[in-house]
Amino acid sequence: ILMNNSESMSVFNSGKYIIISLKNEIISPEEIYYDLNSIIQEININQDIWVVGFDLTKVEKICDIKSSAESLNISLTKLILEIKKPVIGLVSGEISNRLFEMILPMDYRITDKKSTFIMSQIFNDNMQFDGATQLLPRIIGLNKSKELIMFGKQINSKEASEIGLVNIIVDEEKLNETFICKIELLTQFSPLAMQFTKSAINFSKDTNTIRGMNMENDLYSILLSSKDRTSSINSIKNKSKRNPYSGK
């Protein structure tokens, strides 16, 4: 059974998706790591959960970990990377440093028009240590990543969208509505197909093309023979399904 509340976070379970909301404006990674770890373990084995949402709009800052030994064991980025289901993140305000790093492993990111993004560790003779140097170049490219990380450049939400850091910008009052809409859209599709698609895409960035295509083919073969696939085909036979983006 998924945890409903803790001091650091709350979890809303709709049946097909869950939303994990961080409660505090300033929070340490230790406060959320162990609760989040147990939740993610259940997410991956719970077949009823198709999509995961992270509502980070109340968070202003995630504190740094002072001990290098602890930083190896308390990685929020690694936890989110372990989630097999699609992950959608919602952020607002100044998205900086550890909070910035936390959204990078998410599959889809939503923000508002007033948000800004910055990694300012370089100003304190410090550097990122929870995956930014590895994930950010894969998302926005090498040159832009160096500009943001090495110069500590702050960008607004429009710039973040233009370089591919965020997927969509909406008015502040429409943040939650858009967040739920995108999550519910993904629950219309085959959960196993979505999970396998995410695995294949993520695998591609860490391997050569031939190995990636072989893995894609293996996953497709498994999907064809799955109960989930059979259920989807029956659904199509029973009622017409439309592409939600087609307008037809």
Side-chain angles (χ1 to χ4, degrees):
I1 299 173
L2 285 169
M3 173 196 71
N4 291 320
N5 285 285
S6 73
E7 292 184 1
S8 63
M9 68 180 69
S10 62
V11 179
F12 170 76
N13 189 342
S14 80
K16 285 189 176 180
Y17 64 84
I18 70 164
I19 295 176
I20 300 169
S21 302
L22 299 192
K23 297 179 178 179
N24 304 325
E25 294 180 355
I26 299 177
I27 193 166
S28 69
E30 296 94 330
E31 287 181 79
I32 57 178
Y33 179 85
Y34 296 104
D35 286 336
L36 190 57
N37 186 39
S38 62
I39 293 172
I40 288 173
Q41 289 180 16
E42 182 169 348
I43 287 170
N44 285 336
I45 63 173
N46 190 329
Q47 296 182 356
D48 294 328
I49 298 172
W50 295 15
V51 185
V52 181
F54 278 89
D55 182 351
L56 307 177
T57 54
K58 292 183 179 179
V59 182
E60 293 183 2
K61 179 181 180 181
I62 298 179
C63 301
D64 289 335
I65 297 175
K66 296 181 179 179
S67 166
S68 59
E70 286 182 338
S71 69
L72 294 174
N73 298 319
I74 303 178
S75 169
L76 301 179
T77 299
K78 287 180 181 177
L79 280 185
I80 297 171
L81 281 171
E82 289 174 0
I83 300 175
K84 297 177 181 178
K85 318 296 174 66
V87 178
I88 295 181
L90 181 68
V91 290
S92 178
E94 182 181 271
I95 317 304
S96 64
N97 300 344
R98 291 301 304 278
L99 180 58
F100 195 150
E101 286 186 289
M102 186 175 177
I103 68 171
L104 294 179
M106 297 180 184
D107 303 305
Y108 193 92
R109 292 170 285 275
I110 303 169
T111 193
D112 60 26
K113 296 177 180 179
K114 296 181 180 179
S115 292
T116 59
F117 299 79
I118 185 171
M119 288 188 175
S120 60
Q121 290 97 327
I122 198 71
F123 300 142
N124 298 317
D125 300 322
N126 207 337
M127 67 173 289
Q128 297 71 25
F129 59 87
D130 202 16
T133 61
Q134 304 305 301
L135 291 174
L136 192 59
R138 295 168 184 169
I139 297 170
I140 68 172
L142 191 63
N143 288 342
K144 278 295 180 182
S145 297
K146 288 180 178 178
E147 185 177 10
L148 264 61
I149 293 174
M150 295 173 66
F151 289 87
K153 180 183 178 182
Q154 184 180 74
I155 60 173
N156 58 35
S157 54
K158 182 175 182 295
E159 292 173 293
S161 176
E162 288 172 348
I163 63 176
L165 178 59
V166 297
N167 297 85
I168 187 171
I169 306 169
V170 297
D171 293 327
E172 186 177 359
E173 60 271 18
K174 292 184 178 180
L175 272 175
N176 193 64
E177 175 187 344
T178 305
F179 184 47
I180 300 299
C181 179
K182 294 297 182 182
I183 290 174
E184 290 183 342
L185 178 61
L186 291 186
T187 64
Q188 297 179 28
F189 309 134
S190 155
L192 195 57
M194 291 297 299
Q195 183 176 323
F196 281 3
T197 298
K198 173 175 176 173
S199 295
I201 292 172
N202 286 345
F203 184 78
S204 71
K205 71 179 186 293
D206 298 319
T207 190
N208 63 56
T209 302
I210 298 301
R211 286 189 63 207
M213 291 179 67
N214 288 339
M215 187 219 185
E216 179 185 73
N217 188 262
D218 290 343
L219 289 174
Y220 180 68
S221 298
I222 296 170
L223 182 62
L224 282 177
S225 61
S226 71
K227 292 182 179 179
D228 182 58
R229 172 72 175 177
T230 304
S231 176
S232 296
I233 293 173
N234 290 336
S235 176
I236 293 172
K237 289 179 179 178
N238 293 331
K239 64 177 181 179
S240 175
K241 295 183 71 176
R242 65 182 181 89
N243 181 339
Y245 291 107
S246 69
K248 297 179 181 180

